[in-house]
Amino acid sequence: MKALFLLLALALGQGTTVSAGPAVIECWLVEDAGGGRLSKRPAALVLRQGPGRLPPRPDLDPELYLKVNDPAGALQAAFRRYPQSAPAPHCEMSRYVPFPASANWAKDLSPEQNCPRSLDGTWFMVSMSSPVLGVSSLLRPQSEPQPESAPITMATVVLTVLTHTPITRVQLGKDALLDLSFAYMPPTPEATTSLAPGPPPFGLEWRHQHQGKGQLLLAATPGLDGQMPAARDGAVAFAAWDDNEPWGPWTGNGTLWLPAVRPFQEGAYLATIHLPYLQGQVTLELVVQKPPKVSLMPRPLVWAVPGEAPPELLCLVSHFYPSEGLEVEWELRGGPEGSFQKAQGKSWLSALRQHSDGSVSVSGHLQLPPVTSAQHGARYACRVHHPSLPALGRSSEVTLEVAGHSGPSLEDGVGLFLSAFLLLGLLKALGWAGAYLSASKESKKKVQ
């Protein structure tokens, strides 16, 4: 019975998953038009077909109306998980020619420089990107469009490289994990039988680009001997096939781990999977942030005399990153009408102060105008906006106390009590001194 419930729940979960995400991806075929110009033609990828026949697309060349066959299932699974609230992915296609890897460390992946005849024919490289998904797929279309309800071309997915975290945000000093997975199905039976059973050797390459500079961060060829370049910045990759089926399809993992990230590690990361004569690449962005700490001085109270300006307010915004995008606002909460408004006065920011971990600090200053007794109890707040903070930002506030406005406080009562006690003691001492002097004079008179 438990097994039956488990199968039912699994079936319901799969049914819910299949219904999500787009069924058709609108795309553009980008080609070289000569003279340094590019041309674009519309295309479409049918990932899954609903009930009934495919709708005709007279706006498309039948060779660019592609019904996708995905033996490994990675591409279709990625779009089954695609959130309905996410924007449609941007999709571009280009023609692809198989070729051996050019890097010296990957030369053993392609023992022959000439591409096998089994890889001849038309290939498309499809790149899709959105805030929630990055995909690169190699598609091999059939030579002739199929005479279905609408002229359409069948295309088989051979290699898919994807990430579910195309934009990764990590706090400064924390570890970063850049997700990468891939799937491969040999394009022809000949390509399968020419290799030993099991997944083929592959190469994993991670490159880092930041501020116009690029460098090889990590390279690996699991299962192959050869000299590999040393990894940089402590990077570690989980480079391995996930299964060991004899003839495919196969899925693999190439996730990158970066320990204790620093500011210089933000930027674009290019992840490339190299197979014999085939490559797929996706781009990920690493955003390093650290939210600021906000404190306001003097606090919790600021004192002022009617007609005079209160002491200068100092807003300390400390240990944040990046320095760009910081805004400091001054607010007056309360006041004569109990309003919430921009504080009046002269404000400015200090120069940035650098810290050893790459974070920065700055102080905001507010010089207030003279106050009136009606402003007693008003609250001045320093509100900070930064890309690492929620939309409302982060704030700190102080309360204005205007002298002579409020009734006696506890401290005033204690002071009055002590003053009265001292005054009473002084009067008693004077009385005792007067009585003593009077007694002394009377005793002197009696002696005389």
Side-chain angles (χ1 to χ4, degrees), residues 318-369:
S318 57
H319 292 88
F320 65 93
Y321 186 85
S323 59
E324 297 83 8
L326 181 76
E327 295 181 8
V328 178
E329 299 175 349
W330 292 95
E331 299 171 349
L332 175 60
R333 304 172 180 178
E337 297 92 18
S339 57
F340 184 98
Q341 57 188 338
K342 180 180 179 180
Q344 300 297 317
K346 182 181 179 182
S347 61
W348 67 94
L349 293 177
S350 70
L352 291 173
R353 299 183 296 278
Q354 303 285 339
H355 300 288
S356 59
D357 64 349
S359 65
V360 295
S361 295
V362 71
S363 56
H365 300 256
L366 178 64
Q367 191 173 11
L368 293 168

Side-chain angles (χ1 to χ4, degrees), residues 74 160-164 179-183 242 251-255 273 282:
T160 295
V161 182
L162 63 90
T163 177
H164 291 284
D179 162 70
L180 183 74
S181 59
F182 53 96
D242 296 330
T251 59
N253 186 2
T255 299
I273 296 296
V282 293

Side-chain angles (χ1 to χ4, degrees), residues 393-418:
R394 183 171 292 174
S395 65
S396 181
E397 68 175 33
V398 297
T399 302
L400 176 64
E401 294 283 346
V402 179
H405 182 273
S406 60
S409 62
L410 177 62
E411 291 81 2
D412 296 335
V414 172
L416 290 173
F417 174 77
L418 292 175

Side-chain angles (χ1 to χ4, degrees), residues 96-112:
Y96 179 82
V97 178
F99 61 94
S102 58
N104 290 331
W105 59 266
K107 62 182 180 180
D108 292 338
L109 291 173
S110 306
E112 299 179 3

